[in-house]
Amino acid sequence: MTKTALILIDIQNDYFPGGAMECHQSLDAGKKASLLLDFAQKRGIEPIHIRHISTRPNATFFLPGTRGAEISDLVSPVPGEKVVEKQYPNSFRETDLYSHLHEKGVKNLIIAGMMSHMCIDATIRAAADLGFSCILAHDACATRDLTFQDITVPAPQVHAAYMSSLSGLYARTLSTDEIIQGGFV
């Protein structure tokens, strides 16, 4: 059987209500990610928690040493679960994520987290380019409204656009229930 890992990206307090960069329906997405974490732990699938720490000048969220940069209690790592800290949207960039997965013989990834339009997108595209087979839990991801020039795109449309663009070539896009019930790993 091919090894699978669960990658939980940036499910950190700053993305939740009251945080410095609140995402649309982040609590719902976080609860779905919690179900995936429980599923992974029970099935012997390694969970890997990705934590963004902002080191760029003038950063306004995920600041080192703040509560906002901490992983949400919904998906808190238990002792022994790997936590990868990153400074870029792509979870593979300048981290040990790839080498860790390679050493463990992981070929399949289940991916969830925040934000759909940024770190989820960058990480899934990189993972696919690196040869991983990806399952994207669309309902365990969240994003925000985006603005381009004088157009504001509401978060549900941003999310749908990114899920649809990743679906197919880069990932198999499924709901949390489909992943848990479907035996895709």
Side-chain angles (χ1 to χ4, degrees):
M1 182 168 132
T2 304
K3 289 199 65 173
T4 300
L6 171 65
I7 310 294
L8 297 172
I9 301 173
D10 300 349
I11 304 178
Q12 294 168 250
N13 292 326
D14 270 342
Y15 282 150
F16 287 89
M21 187 58 69
E22 184 177 339
C23 289
H24 178 73
Q25 296 184 331
S26 56
L27 193 54
D28 293 340
K31 289 176 182 176
K32 293 293 186 174
S34 178
L35 293 173
L36 287 171
L37 178 58
D38 183 61
F39 166 75
Q41 291 166 332
K42 288 178 179 173
R43 294 279 306 265
I45 296 168
E46 181 182 10
I48 300 174
H49 303 264
I50 308 296
R51 181 175 177 233
H52 194 108
I53 300 296
S54 246
T55 56
R56 61 184 168 73
N58 304 316
T60 59
F61 64 104
F62 293 161
L63 301 174
T66 64
R67 172 148 172 69
E70 293 174 13
I71 294 173
S72 167
D73 290 342
L74 291 170
V75 293
S76 291
V78 299
E81 289 181 349
K82 183 159 182 67
V83 177
V84 173
E85 288 193 357
K86 67 178 179 70
Q87 284 77 50
Y88 300 98
N90 173 355
S91 299
F92 292 95
R93 183 176 172 185
E94 297 181 26
T95 71
D96 70 344
L97 180 59
Y98 178 78
S99 62
H100 177 79
L101 294 170
H102 183 71
E103 288 169 11
K104 298 277 188 170
V106 171
K107 299 290 183 198
N108 299 320
L109 304 176
I110 300 169
I111 299 175
M114 301 172 192
M115 290 188 289
S116 307
H117 75 275
M118 184 63 66
C119 298
I120 296 299
D121 180 64
T123 299
I124 286 187
R125 289 174 190 271
D129 288 347
L130 290 168
F132 292 100
S133 175
C134 299
I135 293 175
L136 174 57
H138 66 80
D139 57 352
C141 296
T143 196
R144 306 172 41 84
D145 293 353
L146 293 182
T147 302
F148 176 70
Q149 296 180 350
D150 62 348
I151 300 169
T152 297
V153 183
Q157 282 73 36
V158 171
H159 182 72
Y162 276 85
M163 295 300 105
S164 64
S165 71
L166 292 169
S167 186
L169 181 60
Y170 291 103
R172 186 167 186 190
T173 306
L174 303 170
S175 71
T176 296
D177 288 344
E178 288 173 320
I179 293 167
I180 292 171
Q181 297 168 7
F184 293 103
V185 294

